[in-house]
Amino acid sequence: MPRHLVHRKSIAEVLLTDGHALGEGRYLLAAQWSRSHTTFRPGSGDRHDPLLIAETLRQGCLYLCQRFLGVPATSKAVIKSIGFRLDPATEPVVGYGATDVTCRARVYDVRRADGLPHPVALSLRLELAAGDAEFGSAEGRARILTEDEYRGLRGSRAGALPPPGEDFRRLPPADVSAIAPGGVMVARDGTGSLRVAPADLRHPLFFDHPSDHIPGMVLLEAARQAACLTSGDTTARLTGCRMTATRFTDWDPPAYVACEPVGEEWEFRVTQGGAVTAEGSLWWA
């Protein structure tokens, strides 16, 4: 799979390996999850990080847009919503080497605009299987912007970088069930609130390339870590999530994440400058 089709610079971060069109908006995608991936957590019962499902969906959307739907490589795909559900009873156990994952994909609710040969918005659903066992599903929606539309929408923030020299009270990786200090995505400010503040802005998965806003995958991981801290439980494993982004989460002013239990799930909210930028729910085993 060419790296540019999934917007990755590192070959090691390309999860997709192949794709075929089946007709009527349906596709078959192949992916491979390595046990040496940067998110693989020793002691997790030889299971992959569930967030790889969300990353497979993200890459699948980018690939399908460029390979089959005529979206130019220079366009920007902006996540509007993303989520997945995982069945711990059927998910693959990591053996030797990598895990081959087959994804049945369906593109639907496609929106087009006059004068453009490609979609301007679409939804994508994946059904994931390892061998003969289906173990999860993922679903999301993206808006497709031209370069000019993106620059117009972002204005002066187009190409923005994180503010330099910020000093945070970093949390130990074990407190948020992260495998290394660079995987910590939140920090406590002077009031004790949790700020979205990635420790490593060159993390192989979350920051494979520069971004002028905080990526959606970072927000999902920050929400998971916030739930770990709020509940005090670092052993619970994520089995599902959903997130809707109502606007970009910028590098400044500070963005905060808060979680609370509601019934059988945890609800989270990301706020910035007093406005909600993203919100959703988490489910645990």
Side-chain angles (χ1 to χ4, degrees), residues 14-32:
V14 178
L15 302 184
L16 297 186
T17 59
D18 201 1
H20 296 277
L22 303 178
E24 298 181 347
R26 297 183 181 275
Y27 305 86
L28 191 63
L29 303 177
Q32 194 172 77

Side-chain angles (χ1 to χ4, degrees), residues 19 46 49 65 68 74 77 93 110 144 155 158 162 164 166 168 189 199-200 222-224 230 236 243 254 265 268 271:
D46 286 337
D49 190 322
C65 280
F68 297 108
T74 55
V93 176
V110 175
I144 313 300
E166 292 191 288
F168 296 112
D189 68 4
D200 183 3
R224 186 198 67 80
T230 304
M243 181 181 75
E265 63 189 47
F268 69 88
T271 57

Side-chain angles (χ1 to χ4, degrees), residues 137-168:
S137 62
E139 199 159 5
R141 185 163 180 81
R143 182 182 175 190
I144 313 300
L145 301 171
T146 65
E147 282 187 294
D148 289 342
E149 287 174 331
Y150 188 82
R151 282 195 297 266
L153 185 63
R154 297 295 287 143
S156 62
R157 292 187 179 274
L161 295 175
E166 292 191 288
D167 185 20
F168 296 112

Side-chain angles (χ1 to χ4, degrees), residues 147-284:
E147 282 187 294
D148 289 342
E149 287 174 331
Y150 188 82
R151 282 195 297 266
L153 185 63
R154 297 295 287 143
S156 62
R157 292 187 179 274
L161 295 175
E166 292 191 288
D167 185 20
F168 296 112
R169 180 157 58 93
R170 293 294 177 188
L171 297 161
D175 288 2
V176 294
S177 188
I179 61 174
V184 178
M185 297 293 152
V186 293
R188 292 200 184 277
D189 68 4
T191 68
S193 298
L194 286 175
R195 180 174 174 179
V196 182
D200 183 3
L201 295 176
R202 290 179 292 182
H203 189 282
L205 172 64
F206 297 104
F207 295 102
D208 173 79
H209 54 276
S211 175
D212 64 11
H213 60 278
I214 301 178
M217 289 291 292
V218 172
L219 298 180
L220 271 180
E221 176 63 3
R224 186 198 67 80
Q225 294 185 10
C228 285
L229 290 167
T230 304
S231 67
D233 186 354
T234 59
T235 63
R237 191 161 177 270
L238 200 64
T239 59
C241 68
R242 66 167 179 262
M243 181 181 75
T244 300
T246 53
R247 61 179 68 190
F248 288 97
T249 303
D250 290 307
W251 289 113
D252 65 291
Y256 294 91
V257 58
C259 290
E260 63 178 351
V262 179
E264 297 182 352
E265 63 189 47
W266 279 72
E267 292 186 353
F268 69 88
R269 180 172 293 183
V270 179
T271 57
Q272 186 170 53
V276 176
T277 62
E279 58 188 342
S281 300
L282 307 170
W283 291 271
W284 306 89

Side-chain angles (χ1 to χ4, degrees), residues 6 8-16 37-39 52 55 58-59 203-206 208:
V6 294
R8 284 296 183 188
K9 288 191 174 183
S10 171
I11 294 174
E13 295 304 320
V14 178
L15 302 184
L16 297 186
H37 194 271
T38 51
T39 62
L52 287 182
E55 176 61 14
R58 192 194 70 83
Q59 292 190 17
H203 189 282
L205 172 64
F206 297 104
D208 173 79

